[in-house]
Amino acid sequence: NDLSKLPGQDAVFDSTTGVLEALPAVGWYVSYEHVWKQWATAGHMNFRSMVMWSHVNVDNLDFQPPDAYEHTNRYTINAVISPSSRVDMGIEFIHGERFNKDGQRGSAQQIQLVGLFRF
């Protein structure tokens, strides 16, 4: 089993030295939420949306394979309505991109629905 080929690692095993090497990594995100409408007559009802960009970068080690995970970008946009202070309903679109050490890349999109009910 070559443990240096597993994705999403915090560390990789260098079989030549017998040492588990930590992978230096940094991640961050920036987001903005905007409240479009609040209805005072309906109590806490409001409509809002959010846009976010996040990034993770891994400083790969020389002995890692060319297809090792190097960095990702993820973009998110959503819309949420709260018909009461105890209920949120919304829809979200996510686009993500993965880049490998050798420059190969891939992307994926998803749409998800959310319902949050506070008791």
Side-chain angles (χ1 to χ4, degrees):
N1 235 353
D2 186 357
L3 298 178
S4 68
K5 295 185 183 220
L6 294 174
Q9 301 168 323
D10 295 325
V12 291
F13 182 73
D14 185 348
S15 58
T16 59
T17 63
V19 175
L20 184 64
E21 299 273 350
L23 290 174
V26 64
W28 51 265
Y29 72 92
V30 176
S31 71
Y32 172 74
E33 183 180 55
H34 184 79
V35 176
W36 296 98
K37 180 75 175 166
Q38 288 184 323
W39 291 272
T41 58
H44 296 283
M45 185 171 174
N46 67 51
F47 176 67
R48 62 196 181 278
S49 62
M50 186 266 307
V51 61
M52 180 178 71
W53 171 33
S54 63
H55 179 82
V56 175
N57 190 72
V58 176
D59 189 10
N60 295 118
L61 303 173
D62 291 338
F63 65 87
Q64 286 185 268
D67 63 349
Y69 166 78
E70 184 182 63
H71 71 273
T72 56
N73 287 303
R74 181 172 159 165
Y75 310 93
T76 304
I77 188 165
N78 70 23
V80 177
I81 189 163
S82 300
S84 76
S85 63
R86 299 175 94 46
V87 177
D88 292 333
M89 297 179 294
I91 187 167
E92 182 170 64
F93 174 76
I94 302 169
H95 172 80
E97 298 173 315
R98 173 190 164 132
F99 298 84
N100 291 343
K101 180 180 171 184
D102 63 3
Q104 291 186 51
R105 63 184 292 225
S107 64
Q109 296 83 32
Q110 74 183 66
I111 295 176
Q112 58 189 27
L113 302 173
V114 63
L116 177 64
F117 306 93
R118 297 174 193 86
F119 296 98

Coordinates of all heavy atoms in Angstrom, one line a residue, residues 59-112:
D59 N 1.4 22.7 0.0 CA 2.8 22.8 -0.5 C 3.3 21.3 -0.6 O 3.8 20.8 0.4 CB 3.7 23.6 0.5 CG 5.0 23.9 -0.1 OD1 5.3 23.6 -1.3 OD2 5.9 24.4 0.7
N60 N 3.2 20.7 -1.8 CA 3.6 19.3 -2.0 C 5.1 19.1 -1.8 O 5.9 20.0 -2.0 CB 3.2 18.9 -3.4 CG 1.7 18.9 -3.7 OD1 1.2 19.6 -4.5 ND2 1.0 18.1 -2.9
L61 N 5.4 17.9 -1.4 CA 6.8 17.5 -1.2 C 7.3 16.8 -2.5 O 6.5 16.3 -3.3 CB 6.9 16.5 0.0 CG 6.3 17.1 1.3 CD1 6.3 16.0 2.4 CD2 7.1 18.3 1.7
D62 N 8.6 16.8 -2.7 CA 9.2 16.4 -4.0 C 8.8 14.9 -4.3 O 8.7 14.5 -5.4 CB 10.7 16.5 -3.9 CG 11.1 18.0 -4.0 OD1 10.3 18.8 -4.4 OD2 12.2 18.3 -3.5
F63 N 8.7 14.0 -3.3 CA 8.5 12.6 -3.5 C 7.1 12.2 -3.8 O 6.8 11.1 -4.1 CB 9.1 11.8 -2.3 CG 8.4 12.0 -1.0 CD1 7.2 11.3 -0.7 CD2 8.9 12.9 -0.1 CE1 6.6 11.4 0.5 CE2 8.2 13.1 1.1 CZ 7.1 12.4 1.4
Q64 N 6.1 13.2 -3.6 CA 4.7 12.9 -3.9 C 4.5 12.7 -5.4 O 5.2 13.3 -6.2 CB 3.8 14.1 -3.4 CG 3.7 14.1 -1.9 CD 2.7 15.2 -1.5 OE1 3.1 16.3 -1.2 NE2 1.5 14.8 -1.5
P65 N 3.5 11.8 -5.7 CA 3.3 11.6 -7.2 C 2.7 12.8 -7.9 O 2.2 13.7 -7.2 CB 2.3 10.4 -7.1 CG 1.6 10.6 -5.8 CD 2.6 11.1 -4.9
P66 N 2.9 12.8 -9.2 CA 2.4 14.0 -10.0 C 0.9 14.3 -9.8 O 0.5 15.4 -9.9 CB 2.7 13.6 -11.4 CG 3.7 12.5 -11.4 CD 3.5 11.8 -10.1
D67 N 0.1 13.3 -9.5 CA -1.4 13.5 -9.4 C -1.8 13.9 -8.0 O -2.9 13.9 -7.6 CB -2.2 12.3 -9.9 CG -1.9 11.1 -9.1 OD1 -1.0 11.0 -8.3 OD2 -2.7 10.1 -9.3
A68 N -0.8 14.3 -7.1 CA -1.1 14.7 -5.7 C -1.9 16.0 -5.7 O -1.7 16.9 -6.5 CB 0.2 14.8 -4.9
Y69 N -2.9 16.0 -4.8 CA -3.7 17.2 -4.6 C -2.8 18.4 -4.3 O -2.0 18.4 -3.4 CB -4.7 17.0 -3.5 CG -5.4 18.2 -3.0 CD1 -6.5 18.7 -3.7 CD2 -5.0 18.8 -1.8 CE1 -7.1 19.8 -3.2 CE2 -5.7 19.9 -1.3 CZ -6.7 20.4 -2.0 OH -7.4 21.5 -1.5
E70 N -3.0 19.5 -5.1 CA -2.2 20.8 -4.8 C -3.1 21.9 -4.3 O -2.8 22.5 -3.3 CB -1.5 21.2 -6.1 CG -0.6 22.4 -5.8 CD 0.1 22.9 -7.0 OE1 -0.6 23.3 -8.0 OE2 1.3 22.8 -7.1
H71 N -4.1 22.3 -5.0 CA -5.0 23.3 -4.5 C -6.4 23.2 -5.1 O -6.6 22.6 -6.1 CB -4.4 24.7 -4.7 CG -4.4 25.2 -6.1 ND1 -3.4 24.9 -7.0 CD2 -5.3 26.0 -6.8 CE1 -3.6 25.5 -8.2 NE2 -4.8 26.1 -8.1
T72 N -7.3 23.9 -4.4 CA -8.7 24.0 -4.9 C -9.2 25.4 -4.7 O -8.8 26.1 -3.9 CB -9.7 23.0 -4.1 OG1 -9.6 23.4 -2.7 CG2 -9.4 21.6 -4.3
N73 N -10.2 25.7 -5.6 CA -11.0 26.9 -5.4 C -12.5 26.4 -5.4 O -12.9 25.5 -6.1 CB -10.8 27.8 -6.6 CG -9.5 28.5 -6.6 OD1 -9.2 29.2 -5.7 ND2 -8.7 28.3 -7.7
R74 N -13.3 27.1 -4.6 CA -14.7 26.8 -4.5 C -15.5 28.0 -4.4 O -15.1 29.0 -3.7 CB -14.9 25.9 -3.2 CG -16.3 25.5 -3.0 CD -16.4 24.6 -1.8 NE -17.8 24.6 -1.3 CZ -18.2 23.7 -0.5 NH1 -17.5 22.7 -0.1 NH2 -19.5 23.7 -0.1
Y75 N -16.5 28.1 -5.3 CA -17.4 29.3 -5.4 C -18.8 28.9 -5.0 O -19.3 27.8 -5.5 CB -17.3 29.8 -6.8 CG -15.9 30.0 -7.3 CD1 -15.3 29.0 -8.1 CD2 -15.2 31.2 -7.1 CE1 -14.0 29.2 -8.5 CE2 -13.9 31.4 -7.5 CZ -13.3 30.4 -8.3 OH -12.1 30.5 -8.7
T76 N -19.4 29.7 -4.2 CA -20.8 29.3 -3.7 C -21.7 30.6 -3.8 O -21.2 31.7 -3.5 CB -20.7 28.9 -2.2 OG1 -19.8 27.8 -2.1 CG2 -22.1 28.5 -1.7
I77 N -22.9 30.4 -4.2 CA -23.9 31.4 -4.1 C -25.2 30.8 -3.7 O -25.5 29.6 -4.0 CB -24.1 32.1 -5.5 CG1 -25.0 33.3 -5.3 CG2 -24.5 31.2 -6.6 CD1 -25.0 34.3 -6.5
N78 N -25.9 31.5 -2.8 CA -27.2 30.9 -2.3 C -28.2 32.0 -2.1 O -27.9 33.2 -2.1 CB -26.9 30.1 -1.0 CG -26.6 31.0 0.2 OD1 -26.9 32.1 0.3 ND2 -26.0 30.3 1.2
A79 N -29.4 31.5 -1.9 CA -30.6 32.4 -1.5 C -31.4 31.7 -0.5 O -31.7 30.5 -0.6 CB -31.4 32.7 -2.8
V80 N -31.7 32.4 0.6 CA -32.4 31.9 1.8 C -33.5 32.8 2.2 O -33.4 34.0 2.2 CB -31.4 31.7 3.0 CG1 -32.1 31.1 4.2 CG2 -30.2 30.8 2.6
I81 N -34.6 32.2 2.4 CA -35.8 32.9 2.9 C -36.1 32.3 4.3 O -36.0 31.1 4.5 CB -37.0 32.9 2.0 CG1 -38.1 33.8 2.5 CG2 -37.5 31.5 1.8 CD1 -39.1 34.2 1.5
S82 N -36.4 33.2 5.2 CA -36.8 32.8 6.6 C -38.2 33.3 6.8 O -38.5 34.5 7.2 CB -35.9 33.5 7.6 OG -34.6 33.0 7.4
P83 N -39.2 32.4 6.6 CA -40.6 32.9 6.9 C -40.9 33.1 8.3 O -41.9 33.8 8.6 CB -41.4 31.7 6.3 CG -40.5 30.5 6.3 CD -39.1 31.1 6.2
S84 N -40.1 32.6 9.2 CA -40.2 32.9 10.7 C -38.9 32.8 11.3 O -37.9 32.4 10.7 CB -41.2 31.9 11.3 OG -40.5 30.7 11.5
S85 N -38.8 33.2 12.6 CA -37.5 33.2 13.2 C -37.0 31.8 13.5 O -35.8 31.6 13.8 CB -37.5 33.9 14.6 OG -38.5 33.3 15.4
R86 N -37.8 30.8 13.3 CA -37.5 29.4 13.6 C -37.3 28.5 12.3 O -37.0 27.4 12.4 CB -38.5 28.8 14.5 CG -38.6 29.5 15.8 CD -39.7 29.0 16.7 NE -39.5 28.0 17.7 CZ -38.5 27.9 18.6 NH1 -37.5 28.8 18.5 NH2 -38.4 27.0 19.5
V87 N -37.5 29.1 11.1 CA -37.4 28.4 9.9 C -36.6 29.1 8.8 O -36.7 30.3 8.6 CB -38.8 28.1 9.3 CG1 -38.7 27.4 8.0 CG2 -39.7 27.3 10.3
D88 N -35.6 28.4 8.2 CA -34.9 28.9 7.0 C -35.1 27.8 5.9 O -35.0 26.6 6.1 CB -33.4 29.0 7.3 CG -33.0 30.0 8.3 OD1 -33.8 31.0 8.4 OD2 -32.0 29.9 9.0
M89 N -35.3 28.4 4.7 CA -35.3 27.5 3.5 C -34.5 28.2 2.4 O -34.6 29.4 2.3 CB -36.8 27.4 3.0 CG -37.7 26.7 4.0 SD -39.4 26.5 3.5 CE -39.9 28.2 3.5
G90 N -33.7 27.4 1.7 CA -32.9 28.0 0.7 C -32.4 27.0 -0.4 O -32.6 25.8 -0.3
I91 N -31.7 27.6 -1.4 CA -31.1 26.9 -2.4 C -29.7 27.4 -2.6 O -29.4 28.6 -2.4 CB -31.9 27.0 -3.7 CG1 -31.3 26.0 -4.8 CG2 -32.0 28.4 -4.2 CD1 -32.2 25.8 -6.0
E92 N -28.7 26.5 -3.0 CA -27.3 26.9 -3.1 C -26.7 26.2 -4.3 O -27.0 25.0 -4.6 CB -26.6 26.5 -1.8 CG -25.1 26.9 -1.8 CD -24.5 26.7 -0.4 OE1 -24.4 25.5 0.0 OE2 -24.1 27.7 0.2
F93 N -25.9 27.0 -5.0 CA -25.1 26.4 -6.1 C -23.6 26.5 -5.7 O -23.1 27.5 -5.2 CB -25.3 27.3 -7.4 CG -24.4 26.9 -8.5 CD1 -24.7 25.7 -9.2 CD2 -23.3 27.6 -8.9 CE1 -23.9 25.3 -10.3 CE2 -22.5 27.2 -9.9 CZ -22.8 26.1 -10.6
I94 N -22.9 25.4 -6.0 CA -21.5 25.3 -5.6 C -20.7 24.9 -6.9 O -21.1 23.9 -7.6 CB -21.2 24.3 -4.5 CG1 -22.1 24.7 -3.3 CG2 -19.8 24.2 -4.2 CD1 -22.1 23.6 -2.2
H95 N -19.6 25.5 -7.1 CA -18.7 25.1 -8.2 C -17.3 25.0 -7.6 O -16.9 25.9 -6.9 CB -18.7 26.2 -9.3 CG -17.6 25.9 -10.4 ND1 -17.8 25.0 -11.4 CD2 -16.3 26.4 -10.5 CE1 -16.7 25.0 -12.1 NE2 -15.8 25.8 -11.6
G96 N -16.7 23.9 -7.8 CA -15.4 23.6 -7.3 C -14.4 23.2 -8.3 O -14.8 22.6 -9.3
E97 N -13.1 23.6 -8.1 CA -12.0 23.2 -9.1 C -10.9 22.6 -8.3 O -10.5 23.2 -7.2 CB -11.5 24.4 -9.8 CG -12.6 25.1 -10.7 CD -12.0 26.4 -11.3 OE1 -11.4 27.2 -10.5 OE2 -12.2 26.6 -12.5
R98 N -10.3 21.5 -8.7 CA -9.2 20.9 -8.1 C -8.0 20.9 -9.1 O -8.2 20.7 -10.3 CB -9.5 19.4 -7.8 CG -8.2 18.7 -7.3 CD -8.5 17.2 -7.2 NE -7.2 16.5 -7.1 CZ -6.9 15.5 -6.2 NH1 -7.9 15.2 -5.3 NH2 -5.8 15.0 -6.2
F99 N -6.8 21.2 -8.6 CA -5.6 21.3 -9.4 C -4.6 20.3 -8.7 O -4.4 20.3 -7.5 CB -5.0 22.7 -9.4 CG -6.0 23.7 -10.1 CD1 -7.0 24.3 -9.3 CD2 -5.9 24.0 -11.4 CE1 -7.9 25.2 -9.9 CE2 -6.7 24.9 -12.0 CZ -7.7 25.5 -11.2
N100 N -4.0 19.5 -9.5 CA -3.0 18.6 -9.1 C -1.6 19.1 -9.2 O -1.4 20.1 -9.9 CB -3.0 17.2 -9.8 CG -4.3 16.5 -9.5 OD1 -5.0 16.7 -8.5 ND2 -4.6 15.5 -10.3
K101 N -0.6 18.5 -8.6 CA 0.8 18.9 -8.6 C 1.3 19.0 -10.1 O 2.1 19.9 -10.4 CB 1.6 17.9 -7.8 CG 3.1 18.1 -7.7 CD 3.7 17.0 -6.9 CE 5.2 17.1 -7.0 NZ 5.9 16.0 -6.3
D102 N 0.8 18.1 -11.0 CA 1.3 18.1 -12.4 C 0.5 19.0 -13.3 O 0.7 19.0 -14.5 CB 1.3 16.6 -12.9 CG -0.1 16.1 -12.9 OD1 -1.1 16.8 -12.6 OD2 -0.2 14.9 -13.3
G103 N -0.4 19.8 -12.7 CA -1.2 20.8 -13.5 C -2.5 20.2 -14.0 O -3.3 21.0 -14.5
Q104 N -2.8 19.0 -13.8 CA -4.1 18.5 -14.2 C -5.2 19.1 -13.3 O -4.9 19.4 -12.2 CB -4.2 16.9 -14.1 CG -3.3 16.2 -15.1 CD -3.6 14.7 -14.9 OE1 -4.7 14.2 -15.0 NE2 -2.5 13.9 -14.8
R105 N -6.4 19.2 -13.9 CA -7.4 19.9 -13.1 C -8.8 19.2 -13.5 O -8.9 18.6 -14.5 CB -7.5 21.3 -13.4 CG -7.8 21.7 -14.8 CD -7.8 23.2 -15.1 NE -8.9 23.8 -14.3 CZ -9.6 24.8 -14.9 NH1 -9.5 25.2 -16.1 NH2 -10.6 25.3 -14.2
G106 N -9.7 19.4 -12.6 CA -11.0 18.9 -12.7 C -12.0 19.9 -12.0 O -11.6 20.7 -11.2
S107 N -13.2 19.8 -12.4 CA -14.2 20.6 -11.7 C -15.5 19.9 -11.6 O -15.8 18.9 -12.2 CB -14.4 21.9 -12.5 OG -15.0 21.6 -13.8
A108 N -16.4 20.4 -10.7 CA -17.7 19.8 -10.4 C -18.6 20.9 -9.9 O -18.2 21.9 -9.4 CB -17.6 18.7 -9.4
Q109 N -19.9 20.7 -10.2 CA -20.9 21.6 -9.7 C -22.0 20.8 -8.9 O -22.2 19.6 -9.2 CB -21.6 22.3 -10.8 CG -20.7 23.2 -11.6 CD -19.9 22.5 -12.7 OE1 -20.4 21.5 -13.3 NE2 -18.7 23.0 -12.9
Q110 N -22.7 21.5 -8.0 CA -23.8 20.8 -7.4 C -24.8 21.9 -6.9 O -24.4 23.1 -6.7 CB -23.4 20.0 -6.1 CG -22.9 20.8 -4.9 CD -22.5 19.9 -3.8 OE1 -21.4 19.3 -3.9 NE2 -23.2 19.9 -2.7
I111 N -26.0 21.5 -6.9 CA -27.1 22.3 -6.3 C -27.7 21.6 -5.1 O -27.9 20.4 -5.2 CB -28.2 22.5 -7.4 CG1 -27.7 23.3 -8.6 CG2 -29.4 23.2 -6.8 CD1 -28.6 23.5 -9.7
Q112 N -27.9 22.3 -4.1 CA -28.5 21.7 -2.9 C -29.6 22.6 -2.3 O -29.5 23.8 -2.4 CB -27.4 21.4 -1.9 CG -26.6 22.5 -1.4 CD -25.4 22.0 -0.5 OE1 -24.9 20.9 -0.7 NE2 -25.0 22.8 0.4

